[in-house]
PDB file of all heavy atoms in Angstrom:
ATOM      1  N   ALA A 312     -48.821 -37.290 -52.030  1.00 92.00           N
ATOM      2  CA  ALA A 312     -49.870 -38.241 -52.478  1.00 92.00           C
ATOM      3  C   ALA A 312     -50.825 -37.571 -53.535  1.00 92.00           C
ATOM      4  O   ALA A 312     -51.526 -38.314 -54.236  1.00 92.00           O
ATOM      5  CB  ALA A 312     -50.646 -38.739 -51.277  1.00 92.00           C
ATOM      6  N   GLY A 313     -50.777 -36.246 -53.571  1.00 93.00           N
ATOM      7  CA  GLY A 313     -51.612 -35.535 -54.545  1.00 93.00           C
ATOM      8  C   GLY A 313     -53.062 -35.520 -54.178  1.00 93.00           C
ATOM      9  O   GLY A 313     -53.944 -35.431 -55.063  1.00 93.00           O
ATOM     10  N   ILE A 314     -53.353 -35.510 -52.860  1.00 93.00           N
ATOM     11  CA  ILE A 314     -54.752 -35.433 -52.440  1.00 93.00           C
ATOM     12  C   ILE A 314     -54.854 -34.386 -51.351  1.00 93.00           C
ATOM     13  O   ILE A 314     -53.910 -34.005 -50.663  1.00 93.00           O
ATOM     14  CB  ILE A 314     -55.288 -36.778 -51.918  1.00 93.00           C
ATOM     15  CG1 ILE A 314     -54.595 -37.209 -50.620  1.00 93.00           C
ATOM     16  CG2 ILE A 314     -55.118 -37.849 -52.976  1.00 93.00           C
ATOM     17  CD1 ILE A 314     -55.185 -38.419 -50.013  1.00 93.00           C
ATOM     18  N   SER A 315     -56.076 -33.906 -51.128  1.00 94.00           N
ATOM     19  CA  SER A 315     -56.350 -32.943 -50.070  1.00 94.00           C
ATOM     20  C   SER A 315     -56.816 -33.680 -48.820  1.00 94.00           C
ATOM     21  O   SER A 315     -57.275 -34.841 -48.890  1.00 94.00           O
ATOM     22  CB  SER A 315     -57.387 -31.958 -50.512  1.00 94.00           C
ATOM     23  OG  SER A 315     -58.617 -32.617 -50.752  1.00 94.00           O
ATOM     24  N   ALA A 316     -56.804 -33.020 -47.719  1.00 94.00           N
ATOM     25  CA  ALA A 316     -57.247 -33.620 -46.467  1.00 94.00           C
ATOM     26  C   ALA A 316     -58.721 -33.997 -46.563  1.00 94.00           C
ATOM     27  O   ALA A 316     -59.156 -35.014 -45.977  1.00 94.00           O
ATOM     28  CB  ALA A 316     -57.014 -32.659 -45.295  1.00 94.00           C
ATOM     29  N   SER A 317     -59.474 -33.222 -47.290  1.00 93.00           N
ATOM     30  CA  SER A 317     -60.931 -33.530 -47.434  1.00 93.00           C
ATOM     31  C   SER A 317     -61.221 -34.805 -48.191  1.00 93.00           C
ATOM     32  O   SER A 317     -62.276 -35.354 -48.077  1.00 93.00           O
ATOM     33  CB  SER A 317     -61.639 -32.336 -48.108  1.00 93.00           C
ATOM     34  OG  SER A 317     -61.060 -32.138 -49.430  1.00 93.00           O
ATOM     35  N   ALA A 318     -60.175 -35.258 -48.917  1.00 94.00           N
ATOM     36  CA  ALA A 318     -60.367 -36.505 -49.764  1.00 94.00           C
ATOM     37  C   ALA A 318     -60.155 -37.768 -48.892  1.00 94.00           C
ATOM     38  O   ALA A 318     -60.399 -38.872 -49.355  1.00 94.00           O
ATOM     39  CB  ALA A 318     -59.447 -36.477 -50.924  1.00 94.00           C
ATOM     40  N   LEU A 319     -59.681 -37.602 -47.720  1.00 94.00           N
ATOM     41  CA  LEU A 319     -59.380 -38.744 -46.835  1.00 94.00           C
ATOM     42  C   LEU A 319     -60.722 -39.305 -46.275  1.00 94.00           C
ATOM     43  O   LEU A 319     -61.672 -38.567 -45.961  1.00 94.00           O
ATOM     44  CB  LEU A 319     -58.550 -38.280 -45.606  1.00 94.00           C
ATOM     45  CG  LEU A 319     -57.102 -37.867 -45.896  1.00 94.00           C
ATOM     46  CD1 LEU A 319     -56.457 -37.246 -44.687  1.00 94.00           C
ATOM     47  CD2 LEU A 319     -56.220 -39.016 -46.453  1.00 94.00           C
ATOM     48  N   ASP A 320     -60.748 -40.633 -46.237  1.00 92.00           N
ATOM     49  CA  ASP A 320     -61.921 -41.264 -45.671  1.00 92.00           C
ATOM     50  C   ASP A 320     -61.805 -41.472 -44.175  1.00 92.00           C
ATOM     51  O   ASP A 320     -62.770 -41.440 -43.414  1.00 92.00           O
ATOM     52  CB  ASP A 320     -62.146 -42.615 -46.333  1.00 92.00           C
ATOM     53  CG  ASP A 320     -62.541 -42.425 -47.812  1.00 92.00           C
ATOM     54  OD1 ASP A 320     -63.632 -41.946 -48.071  1.00 92.00           O
ATOM     55  OD2 ASP A 320     -61.690 -42.792 -48.671  1.00 92.00           O
ATOM     56  N   LYS A 321     -60.556 -41.796 -43.716  1.00 91.00           N
ATOM     57  CA  LYS A 321     -60.343 -42.088 -42.339  1.00 91.00           C
ATOM     58  C   LYS A 321     -58.937 -41.574 -41.895  1.00 91.00           C
ATOM     59  O   LYS A 321     -58.036 -41.458 -42.703  1.00 91.00           O
ATOM     60  CB  LYS A 321     -60.338 -43.605 -42.053  1.00 91.00           C
ATOM     61  CG  LYS A 321     -61.721 -44.301 -42.182  1.00 91.00           C
ATOM     62  CD  LYS A 321     -62.539 -44.036 -40.941  1.00 91.00           C
ATOM     63  CE  LYS A 321     -63.775 -44.916 -40.894  1.00 91.00           C
ATOM     64  NZ  LYS A 321     -64.575 -44.927 -42.105  1.00 91.00           N
ATOM     65  N   VAL A 322     -58.779 -41.234 -40.642  1.00 94.00           N
ATOM     66  CA  VAL A 322     -57.490 -40.935 -40.071  1.00 94.00           C
ATOM     67  C   VAL A 322     -57.266 -41.939 -38.898  1.00 94.00           C
ATOM     68  O   VAL A 322     -58.151 -42.028 -37.993  1.00 94.00           O
ATOM     69  CB  VAL A 322     -57.413 -39.486 -39.539  1.00 94.00           C
ATOM     70  CG1 VAL A 322     -56.093 -39.252 -38.827  1.00 94.00           C
ATOM     71  CG2 VAL A 322     -57.619 -38.505 -40.656  1.00 94.00           C
ATOM     72  N   ILE A 323     -56.178 -42.678 -38.917  1.00 93.00           N
ATOM     73  CA  ILE A 323     -55.907 -43.692 -37.918  1.00 93.00           C
ATOM     74  C   ILE A 323     -54.763 -43.238 -37.040  1.00 93.00           C
ATOM     75  O   ILE A 323     -53.689 -42.753 -37.574  1.00 93.00           O
ATOM     76  CB  ILE A 323     -55.566 -45.053 -38.560  1.00 93.00           C
ATOM     77  CG1 ILE A 323     -56.773 -45.583 -39.334  1.00 93.00           C
ATOM     78  CG2 ILE A 323     -55.106 -46.043 -37.485  1.00 93.00           C
ATOM     79  CD1 ILE A 323     -56.451 -46.839 -40.112  1.00 93.00           C
ATOM     80  N   LEU A 324     -54.899 -43.312 -35.743  1.00 93.00           N
ATOM     81  CA  LEU A 324     -53.829 -42.912 -34.808  1.00 93.00           C
ATOM     82  C   LEU A 324     -53.104 -44.189 -34.342  1.00 93.00           C
ATOM     83  O   LEU A 324     -53.707 -45.205 -33.933  1.00 93.00           O
ATOM     84  CB  LEU A 324     -54.438 -42.205 -33.635  1.00 93.00           C
ATOM     85  CG  LEU A 324     -55.257 -40.942 -33.892  1.00 93.00           C
ATOM     86  CD1 LEU A 324     -55.723 -40.331 -32.562  1.00 93.00           C
ATOM     87  CD2 LEU A 324     -54.376 -39.917 -34.655  1.00 93.00           C
ATOM     88  N   VAL A 325     -51.772 -44.108 -34.377  1.00 92.00           N
ATOM     89  CA  VAL A 325     -50.905 -45.212 -34.011  1.00 92.00           C
ATOM     90  C   VAL A 325     -49.831 -44.691 -33.040  1.00 92.00           C
ATOM     91  O   VAL A 325     -49.348 -43.599 -33.220  1.00 92.00           O
ATOM     92  CB  VAL A 325     -50.226 -45.881 -35.212  1.00 92.00           C
ATOM     93  CG1 VAL A 325     -49.303 -46.970 -34.777  1.00 92.00           C
ATOM     94  CG2 VAL A 325     -51.239 -46.391 -36.195  1.00 92.00           C
ATOM     95  N   GLY A 326     -49.479 -45.495 -32.062  1.00 91.00           N
ATOM     96  CA  GLY A 326     -48.456 -45.060 -31.099  1.00 91.00           C
ATOM     97  C   GLY A 326     -49.071 -44.496 -29.841  1.00 91.00           C
ATOM     98  O   GLY A 326     -50.076 -43.704 -29.904  1.00 91.00           O
ATOM     99  N   GLY A 327     -48.488 -44.807 -28.686  1.00 90.00           N
ATOM    100  CA  GLY A 327     -49.086 -44.345 -27.438  1.00 90.00           C
ATOM    101  C   GLY A 327     -49.177 -42.896 -27.253  1.00 90.00           C
ATOM    102  O   GLY A 327     -50.062 -42.376 -26.586  1.00 90.00           O
ATOM    103  N   SER A 328     -48.285 -42.128 -27.913  1.00 94.00           N
ATOM    104  CA  SER A 328     -48.334 -40.660 -27.702  1.00 94.00           C
ATOM    105  C   SER A 328     -49.510 -40.002 -28.408  1.00 94.00           C
ATOM    106  O   SER A 328     -49.766 -38.858 -28.162  1.00 94.00           O
ATOM    107  CB  SER A 328     -47.001 -40.040 -28.254  1.00 94.00           C
ATOM    108  OG  SER A 328     -45.878 -40.562 -27.526  1.00 94.00           O
ATOM    109  N   THR A 329     -50.186 -40.745 -29.252  1.00 95.00           N
ATOM    110  CA  THR A 329     -51.383 -40.189 -29.870  1.00 95.00           C
ATOM    111  C   THR A 329     -52.587 -40.120 -28.890  1.00 95.00           C
ATOM    112  O   THR A 329     -53.650 -39.548 -29.239  1.00 95.00           O
ATOM    113  CB  THR A 329     -51.810 -40.978 -31.117  1.00 95.00           C
ATOM    114  OG1 THR A 329     -52.072 -42.308 -30.716  1.00 95.00           O
ATOM    115  CG2 THR A 329     -50.800 -40.936 -32.196  1.00 95.00           C
ATOM    116  N   ARG A 330     -52.347 -40.587 -27.710  1.00 94.00           N
ATOM    117  CA  ARG A 330     -53.399 -40.453 -26.663  1.00 94.00           C
ATOM    118  C   ARG A 330     -53.389 -39.054 -26.015  1.00 94.00           C
ATOM    119  O   ARG A 330     -54.326 -38.663 -25.347  1.00 94.00           O
ATOM    120  CB  ARG A 330     -53.229 -41.479 -25.532  1.00 94.00           C
ATOM    121  CG  ARG A 330     -53.512 -42.915 -25.970  1.00 94.00           C
ATOM    122  CD  ARG A 330     -53.472 -43.847 -24.761  1.00 94.00           C
ATOM    123  NE  ARG A 330     -53.917 -45.210 -25.125  1.00 94.00           N
ATOM    124  CZ  ARG A 330     -53.117 -46.178 -25.465  1.00 94.00           C
ATOM    125  NH1 ARG A 330     -51.804 -45.977 -25.515  1.00 94.00           N
ATOM    126  NH2 ARG A 330     -53.573 -47.369 -25.750  1.00 94.00           N
ATOM    127  N   ILE A 331     -52.369 -38.256 -26.286  1.00 96.00           N
ATOM    128  CA  ILE A 331     -52.255 -36.913 -25.791  1.00 96.00           C
ATOM    129  C   ILE A 331     -53.363 -36.035 -26.395  1.00 96.00           C
ATOM    130  O   ILE A 331     -53.455 -35.937 -27.624  1.00 96.00           O
ATOM    131  CB  ILE A 331     -50.853 -36.310 -26.067  1.00 96.00           C
ATOM    132  CG1 ILE A 331     -49.812 -37.131 -25.343  1.00 96.00           C
ATOM    133  CG2 ILE A 331     -50.790 -34.829 -25.615  1.00 96.00           C
ATOM    134  CD1 ILE A 331     -48.370 -36.762 -25.705  1.00 96.00           C
TER     135      ILE A 331
END
Side-chain angles (χ1 to χ4, degrees):
I314 66 171
S315 64
S317 61
L319 293 171
D320 294 292
K321 290 281 192 311
V322 176
I323 297 174
L324 300 182
V325 178
S328 297
T329 58
R330 290 188 173 94
I331 297 172

